[in-house]
Amino acid sequence: MNVATMKQFALLPLIMLMNKVSLDEPEYEERRIALLIAFAIVQLLQFGCMAAIMSKIRSKKDTDVVVVPAQKVMGQTHGTDQEMSVEEYDASKVMEAVKQAVMGGIILGLIVWKVETVKPLFIQVFLTPMTFMDTPLFKVHILGKEATGDLKRPWTPPNPFAGLTGAAEGANATEGSTADAASIEDSPATKSEGKKKSVKKSEQKHVEDKKSSQIPDDEGLRQTHKKPEPVD
């Protein structure tokens, strides 16, 4: 089982586990600190791997030529095919990975600030290393695999938001768990049910008032049946 398949199977259990773990309550501050430390360690390890890969690229000085096709945006080709050495090509991919990681961290920070919870970081602690280990850079320069087959250069450009998929879903799950109750209360079925109960209570009260008005009190009965006093 490759890393991409493992990530797909692990995403749903991680989201379920994230929703079960209490992190945002004031009494769980130690858990939040531990999560922040774990997230920082994962990010440092990722950037450390990128630095090690860049060092290997510079030391190999591979001059083989790679033909990079022109970029296609919205079905339109921009620019022309370029030729560059393997060293230049791999170094450019490392810089792309660095930019993607920085952009992902900024977007993740905005998500955490928006939903006011650190739970998306829980997802990223697991998905960040899994996503990076699935890149051709890691497989070729860290695992030492040959750049053939699926790893043959030029590589398919990665999705710049691939690392944020888990965070976004985690945020949606966090927001959804708190919004479900409100949506149920505001749903038409709930409002209709409440209206029916209110009408039923009103009818019951009307019937009880009507019955009570038809029953004479004991004092009225005594006055009605009181014998007349004899006249002297």
Side-chain angles (χ1 to χ4, degrees):
M1 182 181 295
N2 56 26
V3 178
T5 305
M6 290 175 57
K7 185 170 66 173
Q8 292 177 357
F9 279 102
L11 184 58
L12 183 58
L14 285 174
I15 292 176
M16 295 175 63
L17 180 61
M18 178 192 68
N19 289 328
K20 289 182 178 294
V21 176
S22 300
L23 292 170
D24 299 320
E25 290 76 6
E27 59 269 22
Y28 298 116
E29 184 178 359
E30 294 182 357
R31 294 183 182 181
R32 292 194 297 274
I33 294 175
L35 179 59
L36 291 172
I37 293 174
F39 178 76
I41 291 174
V42 168
Q43 296 301 314
L44 289 175
L45 289 175
Q46 179 180 223
F47 285 108
C49 284
M50 292 179 186
I53 291 173
M54 181 64 81
S55 177
K56 286 188 175 184
I57 293 171
R58 296 306 185 190
S59 63
K60 287 181 180 179
K61 299 185 182 299
D62 194 338
T63 57
D64 290 345
V65 177
V66 178
V67 179
V68 182
Q71 294 182 351
K72 289 185 178 181
V73 181
M74 303 294 292
Q76 296 182 353
T77 303
H78 293 268
T80 58
D81 296 350
Q82 294 181 352
E83 292 185 356
M84 58 179 65
S85 65
V86 171
E87 178 184 356
E88 294 173 341
Y89 178 78
D90 289 5
S92 68
K93 289 301 177 181
V94 172
M95 296 309 299
E96 287 181 8
V98 171
K99 292 178 182 179
Q100 179 180 337
V102 173
M103 182 180 66
I106 294 173
I107 297 176
L108 180 61
L110 292 176
I111 292 175
V112 171
W113 174 76
K114 174 66 170 57
V115 300
E116 297 181 351
T117 178
V118 296
K119 286 187 175 181
L121 300 180
F122 180 86
I123 296 289
Q124 288 305 104
V125 166
F126 297 94
L127 291 189
T128 295
M130 295 176 69
T131 301
F132 184 68
M133 287 189 296
D134 196 39
T135 60
L137 280 172
F138 185 87
K139 292 177 180 179
V140 171
H141 293 286
I142 300 298
L143 300 182
K145 293 185 177 182
E146 294 291 333
T148 57
D150 294 338
L151 299 178
K152 184 179 179 180
R153 301 176 180 88
W155 299 319
T156 303
N159 180 8
F161 300 102
L164 296 174
T165 304
E169 294 184 4
N172 291 335
T174 303
E175 290 181 336
S177 61
T178 57
D180 286 344
S183 61
I184 292 174
E185 291 178 358
D186 295 336
S187 62
T190 305
K191 291 181 178 179
S192 176
E193 185 67 22
K195 187 176 181 181
K196 289 180 181 179
K197 290 182 178 180
S198 178
V199 172
K200 188 175 181 180
K201 289 182 179 179
S202 179
E203 290 177 352
Q204 290 178 350
K205 184 177 180 181
H206 178 70
V207 172
E208 291 176 357
D209 293 343
K210 188 175 181 180
K211 288 181 179 180
S212 62
S213 63
Q214 293 176 353
I215 300 175
D217 55 0
D218 294 341
E219 184 65 24
L221 288 174
R222 284 195 295 269
Q223 291 179 359
T224 303
H225 295 86
K226 185 177 181 182
K227 293 180 180 181
E229 297 179 359
V231 180
D232 295 335

